[in-house]
Amino acid sequence: MSARNAFLSLTALALLCAALIGAAVGLGAFTFVYAEGASYLTNDPNACANCHVMQGHLDAWVKSSHSKFATCNDCHAPHNFVGKYYCKARNGFFHSLAFTTGEFPQNIRMHEYNRGVTEHACLDCHADVTHSIQVSATGSGGFEAVSCIRCHSTVGHDT
């Protein structure tokens, strides 16, 4: 390789690195300044309403009995550190993708992963009540798994 080609290769590599760093800084600034990204790391329910489609859910939660005892994360994120922030990162990515592309249903629907998270949160917080239900549901009666939100789908967001 000639000295000139080596210089051009290094220049191209430097420009590529500068573009990648610039893109990362720009995306980070957009996420943490414009989109208030740091607020998503907290337990503040108002952070969920940064996205306008969540305002109705926040308003309904404020009026519900759950607002006195639980935040959004208590029901919609795992209760351990790693699981909670994995869930926030996962949902943040898919929510950003959906809202950027406009590909989401008018009535927001819970995906299977989030349904499982919420079911575990119900069972965790209401263990005194749900333990006896789970025992009878898994007995010889042959019931399928108990689903809290199948019967109580508006809890936390009822008005």
Side-chain angles (χ1 to χ4, degrees):
M1 178 180 284
S2 71
R4 183 169 190 255
N5 286 343
F7 176 75
L8 290 176
S9 294
L10 283 175
T11 301
L13 182 63
L15 287 174
L16 178 64
C17 288
L20 290 174
I21 291 170
V25 169
L27 189 59
F30 175 80
T31 301
F32 282 93
V33 176
Y34 178 75
E36 302 179 41
S39 68
Y40 295 105
L41 302 176
T42 69
N43 280 330
D44 182 1
N46 291 309
C48 298
N50 284 350
C51 175
H52 68 277
V53 298
M54 297 304 291
Q55 188 61 51
H57 295 283
L58 177 65
D59 293 344
W61 169 79
V62 168
K63 295 176 187 172
S64 78
S65 61
H66 269 76
S67 67
K68 296 171 186 69
F69 308 103
T71 66
C72 305
N73 287 328
D74 292 327
C75 298
H76 298 289
H79 294 170
N80 63 68
F81 182 82
V82 173
K84 176 180 176 179
Y85 286 101
Y86 168 76
C87 180
K88 284 178 165 268
R90 182 185 187 279
N91 286 340
F93 172 78
F94 286 116
H95 292 172
S96 297
L97 181 64
F99 296 130
T100 300
T101 61
E103 295 293 323
F104 60 92
Q106 188 65 27
N107 292 325
I108 297 174
R109 307 198 81 154
M110 186 179 282
H111 289 251
E112 201 57 40
Y113 168 79
N114 291 310
R115 182 179 306 280
V117 168
T118 301
E119 291 282 353
H120 278 94
C122 295
L123 297 174
D124 186 52
C125 291
H126 300 283
D128 292 344
V129 175
T130 59
H131 178 71
S132 62
I133 296 170
Q134 286 182 296
V135 169
S136 66
T138 57
S140 61
F143 300 128
E144 61 183 71
V146 173
S147 170
C148 304
I149 56 178
R150 183 174 45 195
C151 297
H152 305 282
S153 63
T154 61
V155 168
H157 300 286
D158 51 344
T159 55

